Coordinates of all heavy atoms in Angstrom, one line a residue:
M130 N 19.5 -9.3 4.9 CA 18.1 -9.3 4.6 C 17.3 -9.8 5.8 O 17.6 -10.7 6.5 CB 17.8 -10.2 3.4 CG 16.4 -10.2 3.0 SD 16.2 -11.3 1.5 CE 16.1 -12.9 2.2
T131 N 16.2 -9.0 6.1 CA 15.4 -9.4 7.3 C 14.0 -9.7 6.8 O 13.5 -9.0 5.9 CB 15.3 -8.2 8.3 OG1 16.6 -7.8 8.6 CG2 14.5 -8.6 9.5
E132 N 13.4 -10.7 7.3 CA 12.0 -11.1 6.9 C 11.0 -10.6 8.0 O 11.3 -10.7 9.2 CB 11.9 -12.6 6.9 CG 12.6 -13.3 5.8 CD 11.8 -13.6 4.5 OE1 10.6 -13.9 4.7 OE2 12.3 -13.5 3.4
Y133 N 9.9 -10.0 7.6 CA 8.9 -9.6 8.5 C 7.6 -10.3 8.2 O 7.3 -10.7 7.0 CB 8.7 -8.1 8.4 CG 9.9 -7.3 8.8 CD1 10.7 -6.6 7.9 CD2 10.3 -7.2 10.2 CE1 11.8 -5.9 8.3 CE2 11.4 -6.5 10.6 CZ 12.1 -5.8 9.7 OH 13.2 -5.1 10.1
T134 N 6.8 -10.4 9.2 CA 5.4 -11.0 9.0 C 4.4 -9.9 8.7 O 4.4 -8.9 9.4 CB 5.0 -11.7 10.3 OG1 5.9 -12.8 10.6 CG2 3.6 -12.3 10.2
V135 N 3.7 -10.0 7.6 CA 2.7 -9.1 7.2 C 1.3 -9.8 7.3 O 1.1 -10.8 6.6 CB 2.9 -8.6 5.8 CG1 1.8 -7.6 5.4 CG2 4.3 -7.9 5.7
E136 N 0.5 -9.3 8.2 CA -0.9 -9.9 8.4 C -1.9 -8.9 7.8 O -1.8 -7.7 8.0 CB -1.1 -10.0 9.9 CG -2.5 -10.5 10.3 CD -2.7 -10.5 11.8 OE1 -1.7 -10.5 12.6 OE2 -3.9 -10.5 12.2
F137 N -2.8 -9.5 7.1 CA -3.9 -8.7 6.5 C -5.2 -8.9 7.4 O -5.7 -10.0 7.4 CB -4.2 -9.1 5.1 CG -3.0 -8.8 4.2 CD1 -2.1 -9.8 3.8 CD2 -2.8 -7.5 3.7 CE1 -1.0 -9.5 3.0 CE2 -1.6 -7.2 2.9 CZ -0.8 -8.3 2.6
V138 N -5.5 -7.8 8.1 CA -6.6 -7.9 9.0 C -7.9 -8.2 8.3 O -8.2 -7.8 7.2 CB -6.8 -6.6 9.9 CG1 -5.5 -6.3 10.7 CG2 -7.1 -5.4 9.0
G139 N -8.7 -9.1 9.0 CA -10.0 -9.4 8.5 C -10.0 -10.5 7.4 O -11.1 -10.9 7.0
T140 N -8.8 -10.9 7.0 CA -8.8 -12.0 5.9 C -8.2 -13.3 6.4 O -8.3 -14.3 5.7 CB -8.0 -11.5 4.7 OG1 -6.6 -11.4 5.1 CG2 -8.4 -10.1 4.2
G141 N -7.4 -13.2 7.5 CA -6.7 -14.4 8.0 C -5.5 -14.7 7.2 O -4.8 -15.7 7.4
E142 N -5.1 -13.8 6.2 CA -3.9 -14.0 5.4 C -2.7 -13.4 6.0 O -2.7 -12.3 6.5 CB -4.1 -13.4 4.0 CG -5.2 -14.0 3.2 CD -5.7 -13.1 2.1 OE1 -5.7 -11.9 2.2 OE2 -6.1 -13.7 1.1
T143 N -1.6 -14.2 6.1 CA -0.3 -13.8 6.6 C 0.8 -14.2 5.7 O 0.7 -15.4 5.2 CB -0.1 -14.4 8.0 OG1 -1.2 -14.0 8.9 CG2 1.2 -13.9 8.6
I144 N 1.7 -13.3 5.4 CA 2.8 -13.7 4.5 C 4.1 -13.2 5.2 O 4.1 -12.3 6.0 CB 2.7 -13.1 3.1 CG1 2.5 -11.6 3.1 CG2 1.6 -13.9 2.3 CD1 2.5 -11.0 1.7
E145 N 5.2 -13.8 4.8 CA 6.6 -13.3 5.2 C 7.1 -12.5 4.0 O 7.1 -12.9 2.9 CB 7.5 -14.5 5.4 CG 7.1 -15.4 6.6 CD 7.0 -14.6 7.9 OE1 8.0 -13.9 8.2 OE2 6.0 -14.7 8.6
V146 N 7.6 -11.3 4.3 CA 8.1 -10.3 3.3 C 9.5 -9.8 3.7 O 9.6 -9.4 4.9 CB 7.1 -9.2 3.1 CG1 7.6 -8.3 2.0 CG2 5.7 -9.6 2.9
S147 N 10.4 -9.9 2.8 CA 11.8 -9.4 3.1 C 11.7 -7.9 3.1 O 10.9 -7.3 2.4 CB 12.7 -10.0 2.1 OG 13.5 -9.0 1.5
D148 N 12.7 -7.3 3.8 CA 12.8 -5.8 3.8 C 13.3 -5.3 2.4 O 13.3 -4.1 2.2 CB 13.6 -5.3 4.9 CG 15.1 -5.8 4.9 OD1 15.4 -6.7 4.1 OD2 15.9 -5.3 5.6
K149 N 13.7 -6.2 1.5 CA 14.1 -5.9 0.2 C 13.1 -6.0 -0.9 O 13.3 -5.7 -2.0 CB 15.3 -6.7 -0.2 CG 16.5 -6.7 0.7 CD 17.3 -5.4 0.7 CE 18.5 -5.5 1.6 NZ 18.6 -4.3 2.4
Q150 N 11.9 -6.5 -0.5 CA 10.8 -6.9 -1.4 C 9.6 -6.0 -1.2 O 9.3 -5.6 0.0 CB 10.4 -8.4 -1.1 CG 9.5 -9.0 -2.1 CD 9.2 -10.4 -1.7 OE1 9.2 -10.8 -0.6 NE2 9.0 -11.2 -2.7
T151 N 8.9 -5.7 -2.2 CA 7.6 -4.9 -2.0 C 6.6 -5.9 -1.5 O 6.6 -7.1 -1.8 CB 7.1 -4.3 -3.3 OG1 6.7 -5.3 -4.2 CG2 8.2 -3.4 -3.9
I152 N 5.6 -5.3 -0.8 CA 4.5 -6.2 -0.2 C 3.7 -6.7 -1.4 O 3.3 -7.9 -1.3 CB 3.7 -5.3 0.8 CG1 4.6 -4.9 2.0 CG2 2.5 -6.0 1.2 CD1 4.1 -3.8 2.8
L153 N 3.5 -5.9 -2.4 CA 2.7 -6.4 -3.6 C 3.3 -7.6 -4.2 O 2.7 -8.6 -4.5 CB 2.5 -5.3 -4.6 CG 1.8 -5.7 -5.9 CD1 0.4 -6.2 -5.5 CD2 1.8 -4.6 -6.9
K154 N 4.7 -7.6 -4.4 CA 5.3 -8.7 -5.1 C 5.2 -10.0 -4.2 O 4.9 -11.1 -4.7 CB 6.8 -8.4 -5.3 CG 7.6 -9.4 -6.1 CD 8.8 -8.8 -6.6 CE 9.5 -9.7 -7.6 NZ 10.2 -10.8 -7.0
A155 N 5.3 -9.8 -2.9 CA 5.1 -11.0 -2.0 C 3.7 -11.5 -2.1 O 3.5 -12.7 -2.0 CB 5.5 -10.6 -0.6
C156 N 2.7 -10.6 -2.2 CA 1.3 -11.0 -2.3 C 1.1 -11.8 -3.6 O 0.5 -12.9 -3.6 CB 0.4 -9.8 -2.3 SG 0.1 -9.0 -0.7
I157 N 1.7 -11.3 -4.7 CA 1.5 -12.0 -6.0 C 2.1 -13.4 -5.9 O 1.5 -14.4 -6.3 CB 2.1 -11.2 -7.1 CG1 1.3 -9.9 -7.3 CG2 2.2 -12.0 -8.4 CD1 1.9 -8.9 -8.2
E158 N 3.3 -13.5 -5.3 CA 4.0 -14.8 -5.2 C 3.2 -15.8 -4.3 O 3.3 -17.0 -4.5 CB 5.4 -14.6 -4.6 CG 6.3 -14.0 -5.7 CD 7.7 -13.7 -5.1 OE1 8.0 -14.0 -4.0 OE2 8.5 -13.1 -5.9
A159 N 2.5 -15.2 -3.3 CA 1.8 -16.0 -2.4 C 0.3 -16.3 -2.9 O -0.4 -17.0 -2.2 CB 1.7 -15.4 -1.0
G160 N -0.1 -15.7 -4.0 CA -1.4 -16.0 -4.5 C -2.5 -15.2 -3.8 O -3.6 -15.5 -3.9
I161 N -2.1 -14.1 -3.1 CA -3.1 -13.2 -2.5 C -3.6 -12.2 -3.5 O -2.8 -11.6 -4.2 CB -2.4 -12.6 -1.2 CG1 -2.2 -13.6 -0.2 CG2 -3.3 -11.4 -0.7 CD1 -1.5 -13.1 1.1
A162 N -4.9 -12.0 -3.5 CA -5.5 -11.2 -4.5 C -5.4 -9.7 -4.1 O -6.5 -9.1 -3.9 CB -6.9 -11.6 -4.7
Q163 N -4.2 -9.2 -4.0 CA -4.1 -7.7 -3.7 C -4.3 -6.9 -5.0 O -3.7 -7.2 -6.0 CB -2.6 -7.5 -3.2 CG -2.3 -6.0 -3.1 CD -3.1 -5.2 -2.1 OE1 -3.6 -5.8 -1.1 NE2 -3.4 -4.0 -2.4
E164 N -5.2 -6.0 -4.9 CA -5.5 -5.2 -6.1 C -4.3 -4.3 -6.5 O -3.6 -3.8 -5.6 CB -6.7 -4.2 -5.8 CG -7.5 -3.9 -7.0 CD -8.7 -3.1 -6.5 OE1 -9.5 -3.5 -5.7 OE2 -8.9 -2.0 -7.1
Y165 N -4.1 -4.1 -7.8 CA -3.0 -3.1 -8.2 C -3.3 -2.7 -9.7 O -4.1 -3.4 -10.3 CB -1.6 -3.7 -8.1 CG -1.3 -4.9 -9.0 CD1 -0.8 -4.7 -10.3 CD2 -1.6 -6.2 -8.6 CE1 -0.5 -5.8 -11.1 CE2 -1.4 -7.3 -9.4 CZ -0.8 -7.1 -10.7 OH -0.6 -8.1 -11.5
S166 N -2.6 -1.7 -10.1 CA -2.7 -1.3 -11.5 C -1.4 -0.8 -12.0 O -0.7 -1.5 -12.7 CB -3.8 -0.2 -11.6 OG -4.0 0.2 -13.0
C167 N -1.0 0.4 -11.6 CA 0.2 1.0 -12.3 C 1.5 0.4 -11.8 O 2.5 0.4 -12.6 CB 0.2 2.5 -12.0 SG 0.7 3.0 -10.3
R168 N 1.6 0.0 -10.6 CA 2.8 -0.6 -10.0 C 4.0 0.4 -10.0 O 5.2 0.0 -9.9 CB 3.3 -1.9 -10.8 CG 2.2 -3.0 -10.6 CD 2.7 -4.3 -11.2 NE 3.6 -5.0 -10.4 CZ 4.0 -6.2 -10.5 NH1 3.5 -6.9 -11.5 NH2 4.9 -6.7 -9.7
V169 N 3.7 1.7 -10.1 CA 4.8 2.7 -10.0 C 4.4 3.8 -8.9 O 5.0 4.8 -8.9 CB 5.1 3.3 -11.3 CG1 5.7 2.3 -12.2 CG2 3.9 4.0 -11.9
G170 N 3.5 3.5 -8.0 CA 3.3 4.4 -6.9 C 2.4 5.6 -7.2 O 2.5 6.6 -6.5
M171 N 1.6 5.5 -8.3 CA 0.8 6.7 -8.7 C -0.7 6.5 -8.5 O -1.4 7.5 -8.2 CB 1.2 7.0 -10.1 CG 2.6 7.5 -10.3 SD 2.9 9.0 -9.4 CE 1.9 10.2 -10.3
C172 N -1.2 5.4 -8.8 CA -2.7 5.3 -9.0 C -3.4 5.0 -7.7 O -4.7 5.2 -7.6 CB -3.0 4.2 -10.0 SG -2.8 2.5 -9.3
L173 N -2.8 4.6 -6.6 CA -3.4 4.2 -5.3 C -4.2 3.0 -5.3 O -4.8 2.6 -4.3 CB -4.2 5.4 -4.8 CG -3.6 6.8 -4.7 CD1 -4.6 7.8 -4.1 CD2 -2.3 6.8 -4.0
A174 N -4.3 2.2 -6.4 CA -5.1 1.0 -6.4 C -4.7 0.0 -5.4 O -5.5 -0.8 -4.9 CB -5.1 0.4 -7.8
C175 N -3.4 0.0 -5.1 CA -2.8 -1.1 -4.2 C -2.7 -0.6 -2.8 O -2.1 -1.2 -2.0 CB -1.4 -1.4 -4.7 SG -0.3 0.0 -4.5
S176 N -3.5 0.4 -2.4 CA -3.4 1.0 -1.1 C -3.9 0.1 0.0 O -4.7 -0.8 -0.2 CB -4.2 2.3 -1.1 OG -4.3 2.8 0.2
A177 N -3.2 0.2 1.2 CA -3.7 -0.5 2.4 C -3.4 0.4 3.6 O -2.5 1.2 3.6 CB -2.9 -1.8 2.6
E178 N -4.3 0.4 4.5 CA -4.1 1.2 5.7 C -3.2 0.4 6.6 O -3.2 -0.8 6.8 CB -5.5 1.4 6.5 CG -5.3 2.3 7.7 CD -6.7 2.5 8.4 OE1 -7.6 1.8 8.1 OE2 -6.7 3.5 9.1
I179 N -2.2 1.2 7.2 CA -1.2 0.6 8.1 C -1.9 0.6 9.5 O -2.0 1.7 10.1 CB 0.1 1.4 8.1 CG1 0.7 1.5 6.7 CG2 1.0 0.8 9.1 CD1 1.9 2.4 6.6
V180 N -2.3 -0.5 10.0 CA -2.9 -0.7 11.3 C -1.9 -0.7 12.4 O -2.0 -0.2 13.5 CB -3.8 -1.9 11.3 CG1 -4.4 -2.1 12.7 CG2 -4.9 -1.8 10.3
E181 N -0.7 -1.4 12.0 CA 0.4 -1.5 13.0 C 1.7 -1.7 12.2 O 1.7 -2.5 11.2 CB 0.1 -2.8 13.8 CG 0.7 -2.8 15.2 CD 0.2 -4.0 16.0 OE1 -1.0 -4.0 16.4 OE2 1.0 -4.9 16.2
G182 N 2.7 -1.1 12.6 CA 4.0 -1.3 12.0 C 4.5 -0.2 11.1 O 3.8 0.8 11.0
E183 N 5.6 -0.4 10.5 CA 6.2 0.7 9.7 C 6.7 0.1 8.4 O 7.1 -1.0 8.3 CB 7.5 1.2 10.4 CG 7.1 2.1 11.6 CD 8.4 2.7 12.2 OE1 9.4 2.9 11.5 OE2 8.3 2.9 13.4
V184 N 6.6 1.0 7.3 CA 7.1 0.6 6.0 C 8.0 1.7 5.5 O 8.0 2.9 6.0 CB 6.0 0.4 5.0 CG1 5.0 -0.6 5.4 CG2 5.3 1.8 4.7
T185 N 8.9 1.4 4.5 CA 9.6 2.5 3.8 C 9.0 2.5 2.4 O 8.8 1.4 1.8 CB 11.1 2.2 3.8 OG1 11.7 3.3 3.1 CG2 11.5 0.9 3.1
Q186 N 8.7 3.7 1.9 CA 8.1 3.8 0.6 C 8.4 5.2 0.0 O 7.5 6.0 -0.4 CB 6.5 3.6 0.7 CG 5.8 4.4 1.7 CD 4.3 4.1 1.8 OE1 3.7 3.4 0.9 NE2 3.7 4.6 2.9
P187 N 9.7 5.4 -0.2 CA 10.1 6.8 -0.7 C 9.5 7.0 -2.1 O 9.4 8.2 -2.5 CB 11.6 6.7 -0.7 CG 12.0 5.3 -0.7 CD 10.8 4.6 0.1
A188 N 9.2 6.0 -2.9 CA 8.7 6.2 -4.3 C 7.2 6.2 -4.3 O 6.6 6.2 -5.4 CB 9.3 5.2 -5.2
A189 N 6.5 6.3 -3.2 CA 5.0 6.3 -3.2 C 4.5 7.7 -3.5 O 4.0 8.4 -2.7 CB 4.5 5.8 -1.9
R190 N 4.7 8.1 -4.8 CA 4.4 9.5 -5.1 C 2.9 9.9 -5.1 O 2.5 11.0 -5.0 CB 4.9 9.8 -6.5 CG 6.5 9.7 -6.6 CD 7.0 10.0 -8.0 NE 6.5 9.1 -9.0 CZ 7.1 7.9 -9.3 NH1 8.2 7.5 -8.6 NH2 6.6 7.1 -10.2
G191 N 2.0 8.9 -5.1 CA 0.6 9.1 -5.1 C 0.1 9.5 -3.7 O -1.0 10.0 -3.6
L192 N 0.9 9.4 -2.7 CA 0.5 9.7 -1.3 C 1.1 11.1 -0.9 O 2.2 11.4 -1.3 CB 1.0 8.7 -0.3 CG 0.4 7.3 -0.4 CD1 1.1 6.4 0.6 CD2 -1.1 7.2 -0.2
T193 N 0.3 11.8 -0.1 CA 0.8 13.0 0.5 C 1.8 12.6 1.6 O 1.8 11.5 2.1 CB -0.3 13.9 1.1 OG1 -0.9 13.2 2.2 CG2 -1.3 14.2 0.1
E194 N 2.6 13.5 2.1 CA 3.5 13.2 3.2 C 2.8 12.7 4.4 O 3.2 11.8 5.0 CB 4.3 14.5 3.6 CG 5.5 14.8 2.7 CD 6.5 13.6 2.6 OE1 6.8 13.0 3.6 OE2 6.9 13.3 1.5
A195 N 1.6 13.4 4.7 CA 0.9 13.0 5.9 C 0.3 11.6 5.7 O 0.2 10.8 6.7 CB -0.3 14.0 6.2
E196 N -0.2 11.3 4.5 CA -0.8 9.9 4.3 C 0.2 8.8 4.4 O -0.1 7.7 4.6 CB -1.4 9.9 2.9 CG -2.7 10.8 2.8 CD -3.2 10.9 1.4 OE1 -2.5 10.7 0.4 OE2 -4.4 11.4 1.3
R197 N 1.5 9.1 4.2 CA 2.5 8.0 4.2 C 2.7 7.4 5.6 O 3.2 6.3 5.7 CB 3.9 8.6 3.8 CG 3.9 8.9 2.3 CD 5.3 9.5 1.9 NE 5.2 9.9 0.5 CZ 6.2 9.8 -0.3 NH1 7.4 9.3 0.1 NH2 6.1 10.2 -1.5
E198 N 2.2 8.1 6.6 CA 2.2 7.6 8.0 C 1.2 6.5 8.2 O 1.4 5.6 8.9 CB 2.0 8.7 9.0 CG 3.0 9.8 9.0 CD 4.3 9.3 9.6 OE1 4.3 8.6 10.6 OE2 5.4 9.6 9.0
D199 N 0.0 6.6 7.5 CA -1.1 5.8 7.8 C -1.5 4.8 6.6 O -2.3 3.9 6.8 CB -2.3 6.7 8.0 CG -2.2 7.5 9.3 OD1 -1.5 7.0 10.2 OD2 -2.6 8.7 9.3
Y200 N -0.9 5.0 5.5 CA -1.2 4.2 4.3 C 0.0 3.7 3.6 O 1.0 4.4 3.5 CB -2.1 5.0 3.3 CG -3.4 5.4 3.8 CD1 -3.5 6.7 4.5 CD2 -4.5 4.6 3.8 CE1 -4.7 7.1 5.0 CE2 -5.7 5.0 4.3 CZ -5.8 6.3 4.9 OH -7.0 6.6 5.5
A201 N -0.1 2.5 3.1 CA 1.0 1.9 2.3 C 0.6 1.7 0.9 O -0.5 1.2 0.7 CB 1.5 0.6 2.9
L202 N 1.4 2.1 -0.1 CA 1.2 1.7 -1.4 C 2.0 0.4 -1.6 O 3.2 0.4 -1.7 CB 1.6 2.8 -2.4 CG 0.8 4.1 -2.4 CD1 1.2 5.0 -3.5 CD2 -0.7 3.8 -2.5
T203 N 1.3 -0.7 -1.6 CA 2.0 -2.0 -1.5 C 2.9 -2.3 -2.7 O 3.8 -3.1 -2.6 CB 1.0 -3.1 -1.4 OG1 0.1 -3.2 -2.5 CG2 0.1 -3.0 -0.1
C204 N 2.7 -1.6 -3.9 CA 3.6 -1.8 -5.0 C 5.0 -1.1 -4.7 O 5.9 -1.4 -5.4 CB 3.0 -1.2 -6.3 SG 2.8 0.5 -6.4
M205 N 5.0 -0.2 -3.8 CA 6.3 0.5 -3.5 C 6.8 0.2 -2.1 O 8.0 0.3 -1.8 CB 6.0 2.0 -3.5 CG 5.7 2.5 -4.9 SD 7.3 2.5 -5.9 CE 6.8 1.5 -7.3
A206 N 5.9 -0.2 -1.2 CA 6.2 -0.3 0.3 C 7.0 -1.6 0.6 O 6.6 -2.7 0.2 CB 5.0 -0.2 1.1
R207 N 8.0 -1.4 1.4 CA 8.8 -2.5 1.9 C 8.7 -2.5 3.4 O 8.8 -1.4 4.0 CB 10.3 -2.4 1.5 CG 10.4 -2.6 0.0 CD 11.8 -2.3 -0.5 NE 12.1 -2.7 -1.9 CZ 11.6 -2.0 -3.0 NH1 11.0 -0.9 -2.8 NH2 11.9 -2.5 -4.2
P208 N 8.5 -3.6 4.1 CA 8.3 -3.6 5.5 C 9.6 -3.2 6.3 O 10.7 -3.6 5.9 CB 7.9 -5.0 5.8 CG 8.4 -5.9 4.7 CD 8.5 -5.0 3.5
Q209 N 9.4 -2.5 7.4 CA 10.5 -2.2 8.3 C 10.3 -2.8 9.7 O 11.0 -2.5 10.6 CB 10.7 -0.7 8.4 CG 11.0 0.0 7.1 CD 12.3 -0.4 6.6 OE1 13.3 0.0 7.1 NE2 12.4 -1.2 5.5
S210 N 9.2 -3.5 9.8 CA 8.8 -4.2 11.0 C 7.7 -5.2 10.7 O 7.2 -5.2 9.5 CB 8.2 -3.2 12.1 OG 7.0 -2.7 11.6
D211 N 7.3 -6.0 11.6 CA 6.1 -6.8 11.4 C 4.9 -5.8 11.2 O 4.9 -4.7 11.7 CB 5.8 -7.7 12.6 CG 6.8 -8.8 12.7 OD1 7.5 -9.1 11.7 OD2 6.9 -9.4 13.8
L212 N 4.0 -6.2 10.3 CA 2.9 -5.3 9.9 C 1.5 -5.9 10.1 O 1.4 -7.1 9.9 CB 3.1 -4.9 8.5 CG 4.2 -4.0 8.0 CD1 4.3 -4.0 6.5 CD2 4.0 -2.6 8.6
K213 N 0.6 -5.0 10.4 CA -0.9 -5.4 10.2 C -1.4 -4.4 9.2 O -1.3 -3.1 9.4 CB -1.6 -5.3 11.5 CG -1.3 -6.5 12.4 CD -2.2 -6.5 13.6 CE -1.8 -7.6 14.5 NZ -2.6 -7.6 15.7
L214 N -1.9 -4.8 8.1 CA -2.4 -4.0 7.0 C -3.9 -4.3 6.7 O -4.3 -5.4 6.8 CB -1.7 -4.2 5.7 CG -0.2 -3.9 5.7 CD1 0.4 -4.2 4.4 CD2 0.1 -2.4 6.1
D215 N -4.7 -3.2 6.4 CA -6.1 -3.4 6.0 C -6.2 -3.1 4.5 O -6.1 -1.9 4.1 CB -7.0 -2.5 6.8 CG -8.4 -2.9 6.8 OD1 -8.8 -3.8 6.0 OD2 -9.2 -2.2 7.5
R216 N -6.3 -4.2 3.7 CA -6.2 -4.0 2.3 C -7.4 -3.3 1.7 O -8.5 -3.4 2.3 CB -6.1 -5.4 1.6 CG -4.8 -6.0 1.8 CD -4.5 -7.1 0.7 NE -5.6 -7.7 0.1 CZ -5.9 -9.0 0.4 NH1 -5.2 -9.7 1.2 NH2 -6.9 -9.5 -0.2
G217 N -7.2 -2.5 0.7 CA -8.4 -1.9 0.0 C -8.9 -0.7 0.8 O -10.1 -0.3 0.5
V218 N -8.1 -0.1 1.7 CA -8.5 1.1 2.4 C -7.7 2.2 1.7 O -6.5 2.1 1.7 CB -8.3 1.0 3.9 CG1 -8.7 2.3 4.5 CG2 -9.0 -0.2 4.5
Y219 N -8.4 3.2 1.2 CA -7.8 4.3 0.4 C -7.6 5.6 1.2 O -8.4 5.9 2.0 CB -8.6 4.5 -0.8 CG -8.7 3.2 -1.6 CD1 -9.8 2.4 -1.5 CD2 -7.7 2.8 -2.5 CE1 -9.9 1.2 -2.2 CE2 -7.8 1.6 -3.2 CZ -8.9 0.8 -3.0 OH -9.0 -0.3 -3.7
P220 N -6.5 6.3 0.9 CA -6.2 7.6 1.6 C -7.2 8.7 1.1 O -7.8 8.6 0.0 CB -4.8 7.9 1.1 CG -4.6 7.2 -0.1 CD -5.4 6.0 0.0
P221 N -7.4 9.7 1.9 CA -8.4 10.8 1.6 C -8.1 11.4 0.2 O -9.0 11.8 -0.5 CB -8.2 11.8 2.7 CG -7.6 11.0 3.8 CD -6.8 9.9 3.2
S222 N -6.8 11.5 -0.2 CA -6.6 12.2 -1.5 C -7.2 11.5 -2.7 O -7.4 12.1 -3.7 CB -5.0 12.3 -1.7 OG -4.4 11.1 -1.7
I223 N -7.5 10.2 -2.6 CA -8.2 9.6 -3.7 C -9.6 10.1 -3.9 O -10.0 10.3 -5.0 CB -8.2 8.0 -3.5 CG1 -8.3 7.4 -4.9 CG2 -9.3 7.6 -2.6 CD1 -8.1 5.8 -4.9
E224 N -10.2 10.5 -2.8 CA -11.5 11.1 -2.9 C -11.4 12.5 -3.6 O -12.3 12.9 -4.4 CB -12.1 11.3 -1.5 CG -12.3 10.0 -0.7 CD -13.3 9.1 -1.4 OE1 -14.2 9.6 -2.1 OE2 -13.2 7.9 -1.1
Q225 N -10.4 13.2 -3.2 CA -10.2 14.5 -3.8 C -9.9 14.4 -5.3 O -10.5 15.2 -6.1 CB -9.0 15.3 -3.2 CG -8.9 16.7 -3.6 CD -10.1 17.5 -3.3 OE1 -10.7 17.4 -2.2 NE2 -10.6 18.2 -4.3
D226 N -9.2 13.4 -5.8 CA -8.9 13.2 -7.2 C -10.3 12.9 -7.9 O -10.5 13.4 -9.0 CB -8.0 12.0 -7.4 CG -6.6 12.3 -7.0 OD1 -6.3 13.5 -6.8 OD2 -5.8 11.4 -6.9
A227 N -11.2 12.1 -7.3 CA -12.4 11.8 -7.9 C -13.3 13.1 -7.9 O -14.0 13.3 -8.9 CB -13.2 10.7 -7.0
A228 N -13.3 13.9 -6.9 CA -14.0 15.1 -6.9 C -13.5 16.1 -7.9 O -14.3 16.8 -8.6 CB -14.0 15.8 -5.5
D229 N -12.2 16.2 -8.1 CA -11.6 17.0 -9.1 C -12.1 16.6 -10.5 O -12.4 17.4 -11.4 CB -10.1 17.0 -9.1 CG -9.6 17.8 -7.8 OD1 -10.4 18.5 -7.2 OD2 -8.4 17.6 -7.5
A230 N -12.1 15.2 -10.7 CA -12.5 14.7 -12.0 C -13.9 15.0 -12.3 O -14.3 15.4 -13.4 CB -12.2 13.2 -12.1
A231 N -14.8 14.9 -11.3 CA -16.2 15.2 -11.4 C -16.4 16.7 -11.7 O -17.2 17.0 -12.6 CB -17.0 14.8 -10.2
A232 N -15.7 17.5 -11.0 CA -15.8 19.0 -11.3 C -15.4 19.3 -12.7 O -16.0 20.1 -13.4 CB -15.0 19.7 -10.2
A233 N -14.3 18.7 -13.2 CA -13.8 18.9 -14.5 C -14.8 18.5 -15.5 O -15.1 19.2 -16.5 CB -12.5 18.2 -14.7
A234 N -15.5 17.4 -15.3 CA -16.5 16.9 -16.2 C -17.7 17.8 -16.2 O -18.4 18.0 -17.3 CB -17.0 15.5 -15.7
D235 N -18.1 18.4 -15.0 CA -19.2 19.4 -15.0 C -18.9 20.6 -15.8 O -19.8 21.3 -16.3 CB -19.5 19.8 -13.5 CG -20.2 18.6 -12.8 OD1 -20.6 17.7 -13.4 OD2 -20.3 18.7 -11.5
D236 N -17.6 21.0 -15.9 CA -17.3 22.2 -16.6 C -17.5 22.1 -18.1 O -17.5 23.0 -18.8 CB -15.8 22.5 -16.4 CG -15.6 23.0 -14.9 OD1 -16.6 23.3 -14.3 OD2 -14.4 23.1 -14.5
D237 N -17.6 20.8 -18.6 CA -17.7 20.6 -20.1 C -19.1 21.0 -20.6 O -20.0 21.0 -20.0 CB -17.5 19.1 -20.4 CG -16.0 18.7 -20.2 OD1 -15.2 19.7 -20.1 OD2 -15.7 17.5 -20.1
Ligands
FES302 S1 -0.4 -0.1 -8.2 FE1 -0.7 2.0 -8.6 S2 0.1 2.9 -6.8 FE2 0.5 0.8 -6.5

């Protein structure tokens, strides 16, 4: 087991996270107010932009392949290096989901 340092830019919050642990679980244990909802990699509520470093998140089904390079779903993501994350930054596909929902509502 390897421990990595995860720093949240702009907040001054830093935690140690094992490569076997999700970033969200470590946040909850540390009392950091990381937003989340589904905890199964689908809703994107727990998203953070990867400013620096790498994660593994094979179960992050809510992200496109391209988005997995730049965004972490913290409920699924485990660190593979020290990280800098910007919490509450969402991938472009979340905007598309909102647009699709609005279009569907207009059709009614
Ligand atoms: S809490 Fe829903 S994707 Fe992480």
